[in-house]
Amino acid sequence: MSTILYGDSVAKNIKQQLKEEIAMLMEQGKRIPHLVVLLVGNHPASVSYIRGKQKACQEIGMRSTLITLEEETTQEEVLAQIQALNHDEDVDGLLVQLPLPAHIDEKIVFEAIDPQKDVDGFHPYNMGRCMMGNTSIIPCTPKGVMKLLDTINYEDLSGKYAVVIGRSEIVGKPVGQLLLKRHATVTICHSKTKALKEIVKQADIVVVAVGKAKMITADWIKEGAVVIDVGINRHEEYGLCGDVDFESVLEKASYITPVPKGVGVMTVAMLLENTMECYKQRRG
Ligand code: GUN
């Protein structure tokens, strides 16, 4: 039987610390950190995630602004908006919500964000630094996954075999690098991987970020493995659930993160932390 690795209690502590820091800035009459979220279109899941991000800012006294652009906005118009925000001295963090409409190239958009305001850590400069082991701006979800591993004293993963399922730029690839930095032996699997289940069955740590409801069942998991579920699926039959079949894997794993109250809440807390980090970097 596993121990459930809740993110909400960890996130609460991080938010409390940030709240105190912001209260101190206010007391000193200083400017407070300001996060701007840019949404293009009205993707339903994005609208819901953004609401969560704004609520979290409000809870800790951080300033946040949402800019919504129409679905039909051209790439040039989005880039012009980003340039204006890059030059706005009053803005510390800039997040462009994904997914973007199909006519906009997200790589071009992320390269346009000032790396000093890149709270997602998606600019090639920050991503490159992350790959080289620099710990300043780490993408929020991977950073949240690592903080959860800290809570079970998984700081040094020497001799452990970690399998990441999913090779996205925003989760799979950076999580793989961060696990490697902790000395784990890492395999990143994806939709074209052969004998996926056999690979996963050998893992001491499994990080799942594929976006398929309850794909990973107990028969995929080695007895005593640590299972981190990054998926957030809204399934017709199951409702809100992860990529892991929580109930069955609970019997097999040593630790397992739930959905909700697992990685998702950590992502939001890491966004707040990264915004504070950008604020401090810019203030020098
Ligand atoms: N959409 C889903 N996750 C993320 C994220 O971490 N950052 C951004 N910008 N958009 C997302």
Side-chain angles (χ1 to χ4, degrees), residues 1-6 152 246 250 253-257:
M1 191 77 176
S2 323
T3 300
I4 302 175
L5 208 46
Y6 285 106
I152 57 166
F246 183 81
L250 191 62
S254 57
Y255 292 93
I256 180 170
T257 62

Side-chain angles (χ1 to χ4, degrees), residues 40-260:
V40 187
N42 57 0
H43 190 271
S46 292
V47 171
S48 149
Y49 291 147
I50 288 174
R51 210 171 290 137
K53 289 167 182 172
Q54 286 190 298
K55 187 167 157 266
C57 286
Q58 205 174 14
E59 274 169 26
I60 65 160
M62 186 176 271
R63 205 177 143 202
S64 78
T65 303
L66 170 63
I67 299 176
T68 308
L69 302 176
E70 309 232 321
E71 179 88 20
E72 298 73 30
T73 308
T74 64
Q75 182 166 297
E76 286 62 39
E77 286 166 332
V78 172
L79 294 175
Q81 180 64 257
I82 290 171
Q83 284 311 326
L85 294 163
N86 282 346
H87 291 113
D88 186 340
E89 284 300 317
D90 229 21
V91 174
D92 301 289
L94 171 53
L95 180 146
V96 179
Q97 186 68 29
L98 294 176
L100 285 164
H103 65 278
I104 298 175
D105 183 336
E106 66 186 46
K107 284 200 163 62
I108 292 177
V109 166
F110 284 119
E111 282 200 35
I113 297 173
D114 179 346
Q116 288 201 319
K117 297 189 179 187
D118 173 31
V119 285
D120 262 322
F122 294 164
H123 188 285
Y125 174 79
N126 287 319
M127 201 56 101
R129 279 167 66 95
C130 173
M131 297 298 153
M132 295 180 83
N134 184 292
T135 52
S136 55
I137 303 297
I138 306 284
C140 304
T141 301
K143 192 176 177 186
V145 167
M146 302 319 282
K147 288 244 170 164
L148 283 174
L149 291 177
D150 289 342
T151 67
I152 57 166
N153 299 320
Y154 266 45
E155 282 99 356
D156 184 351
L157 305 178
S158 304
K160 296 215 188 291
Y161 181 42
V163 171
V164 180
I165 318 179
R167 57 172 158 178
S168 71
E169 304 294 339
I170 71 177
V171 183
K173 277 194 205 172
V175 164
Q177 284 297 323
L178 295 170
L179 290 165
L180 200 54
K181 188 164 179 243
R182 292 189 179 193
H183 313 297
T185 301
V186 182
T187 298
I188 301 182
C189 300
H190 48 81
S191 55
K192 304 277 193 282
T193 301
K194 267 192 193 167
L196 177 63
K197 189 172 171 181
E198 273 51 57
I199 296 171
V200 176
K201 273 171 103 163
Q202 295 172 39
D204 302 304
I205 301 163
V206 185
V207 180
V208 196
V210 288
K212 282 197 181 147
K214 301 194 186 217
M215 174 180 147
I216 306 299
T217 46
D219 53 327
W220 289 64
I221 300 297
K222 183 168 87 171
E223 190 82 41
V226 173
V227 180
I228 308 285
D229 189 354
V230 181
I232 301 175
N233 307 290
R234 288 166 180 82
H235 192 270
E236 257 184 36
E237 186 186 336
Y238 311 137
L240 183 67
C241 68
D243 294 343
V244 175
D245 180 28
F246 183 81
E247 285 74 23
S248 77
V249 174
L250 191 62
E251 302 295 324
K252 204 86 175 276
S254 57
Y255 292 93
I256 180 170
T257 62
V259 178

